[in-house]
Amino acid sequence: MELGRRSAIWDTWIICSAVFVASRGVAEHAFNYGDALGKAVLFFEGQRSGKLSEAQRVKWRGDSALSDGGLENVGEKTVNLVGGYYDAGDNVKFGWPMAFTVALLSWTAAEYEEEIASVKQLDHLRSSVRWGADFILRAHTSPTTLYTQVGDGNSDHQCWERPEDMDTPRTLYKITPNSPGTEAAADAAAALSAASIVFNRVDANYSRTLLQHSKSLFQFADRFRGSYSASCPFYCSYSGYQDELLWAAAWLYKASGSSKYLNYVSSNQGWSQAASEFSWDNKFAGAQTLLAKEFYQGKKELSKFKNDAESFICTVMPGSSSSRISTTPGGLLFVRDSSNLQYVCSSSMVLFIYSRLLDKAGVGGVHCGSKYFPSSQIKTFAKSQVDYILGENPLKMSYMVGFGSKYPLQLHHRASSIPSIKAHPTKVGCNDGYSNYFHSNNPDPNTHIGAIVGGPNSNDQFSDLRTDYSHSEPTTYMNAAFVGSVAALVA
């Protein structure tokens, strides 16, 4: 009798526990991360410049900027700068953040190859990497010349027109020994090294070409040191170039295995600084994470990079005694009120990768003063940031266009806010674009699926206004970091 009663009580407890766990799962939104990954990768096809391929899936876009670079000659050859990505909601191609985008996408493809392949996104991701890497190769016209921008930012920003109609000047900017930009050259080197890893087993010749250009770009960056701040028109450097040199050398070591690059980072450990963000301007946390992995694999001479990487973890994690980043009432990391989600996505990407390398190294977690964060807790916090972006937030809206039932409808994005050239073949000029579309309260006629916007303010509020670029504009590097974050959750 007693045994039967115990058995009944035990069965009841199991059933109730299962119901509780199931109800928690529903309450916490079990998002389809594979779908989110696919949409985030698709976004890059909507940002493409140049001659679009037959495989192009974003049908509301057309060919654009087909003569970029053609006004300039190198020797007897015309410079070909067709292709690449439009940086954000405008029609300018900025080489430095484009390189950061390619590096992040490549890092993701290398780190989570199996997971991405499991949801049939690996070929699409490789295609996105290649589209950007091809442009960097074309922009590197000689060992000491790299084109860093196509288009005049000032005139472009005074115009609201589709890329297919674009008639603003396609001014070219470049760095040379006489006008250096170490950050831009080193970032291009990092991007091509990372991309060479992605294609190592699928296109060996292409991979070798990428690595050769990467080595040349790194030599250019290191030999002719000068900050990309004096002469750059947009995306100027604030953190200096030492972070980019370490970032590039770390990727070159990872791609080539050459002790030359390991010696470089080892002898320049003094450059490494504790950082509170990972961004297009500041690469310290990324370089430190790459090199911390080498530390945990036995290269103990890289201890400073490991310590600085863990300092970044401590800076980001809520509850840490050294946390320097606030969170919104809804739990979102808040670095600054301008495209804040770029910092959320990049921080989450690093947290996921770092927790993964801790697990593989058999290290339990990270000590932040008296506080200890197990790798599982670091991962859980990173997941909370991805879930917030996908809809687990006070407004119950997704900050990814096309994901879920409620998402931004008015992107600060020229191509998506003006009817497609296929639906409206008549040219839309600068002023017409502003008067008829920029200031319109109507939703975008083209749904830019996968676009991550700048995000809510410090109080979790979001106005969804096209005119509010700091909150409603997507960028390639923001999406690239999100791809790196959500890929960790696919498994």
Side-chain angles (χ1 to χ4, degrees), residues 265-386:
V265 295
S266 184
S267 61
N268 289 306
Q269 283 192 70
W271 291 349
S272 183
Q273 301 172 17
S276 58
E277 69 179 57
F278 177 43
S279 64
W280 60 264
D281 180 45
N282 192 324
K283 312 298 188 314
F284 278 123
Q288 290 155 0
T289 299
L290 287 172
L291 296 170
K293 186 173 185 179
E294 299 300 328
F295 169 86
Y296 280 119
Q297 290 177 347
K299 297 178 179 64
K300 300 304 180 186
E301 70 272 22
L302 302 177
S303 59
K304 185 172 188 333
F305 295 113
K306 172 258 186 190
N307 293 337
D308 287 345
E310 294 186 355
S311 175
F312 175 77
I313 305 295
C314 295
T315 295
V316 170
M317 289 296 292
S320 165
S321 57
S322 54
S323 177
R324 298 204 304 274
I325 300 180
S326 63
T327 56
T328 67
L332 183 72
L333 280 172
F334 199 82
V335 177
R336 55 180 64 95
D337 193 35
S338 181
S339 298
N340 180 60
L341 288 188
Q342 69 173 296
Y343 308 106
V344 176
C345 294
S346 57
S347 296
S348 298
M349 181 176 177
V350 169
L351 291 176
F352 275 124
I353 290 174
Y354 209 86
S355 65
R356 184 178 168 104
L357 78 84
L358 289 174
D359 290 342
K360 287 184 176 178
V363 178
V366 172
H367 287 277
C368 299
S370 59
K371 182 78 174 175
Y372 178 73
F373 292 102
S375 64
S376 59
Q377 189 175 347
I378 295 170
K379 200 178 304 179
T380 296
F381 177 66
K383 179 180 179 296
S384 75
Q385 300 303 290
V386 172

Side-chain angles (χ1 to χ4, degrees), residues 328-330 332 334 337 388 393-395 397 399 455-464 468 471:
T328 67
L332 183 72
F334 199 82
D337 193 35
Y388 184 107
N393 56 62
L395 297 183
M397 75 176 292
Y399 290 102
N457 64 19
S458 58
N459 292 313
D460 301 297
Q461 298 304 302
F462 180 76
S463 55
D464 194 12
D468 184 7
H471 298 103

Side-chain angles (χ1 to χ4, degrees), residues 78 85 354 365 416 488:
T78 301
Y85 291 110
Y354 209 86
S416 65

Side-chain angles (χ1 to χ4, degrees), residues 190-230:
L192 297 187
S193 280
S196 76
I197 296 170
V198 174
F199 291 99
N200 187 33
R201 288 181 288 107
V202 291
D203 191 338
N205 288 335
Y206 183 59
S207 179
R208 277 193 294 273
T209 298
L210 292 168
L211 190 55
Q212 286 166 0
H213 276 266
S214 175
K215 290 175 179 178
S216 175
L217 280 161
F218 181 74
Q219 188 176 8
F220 172 39
D222 193 40
R223 183 180 172 195
F224 299 100
R225 293 184 188 177
S227 182
Y228 192 58
S229 58

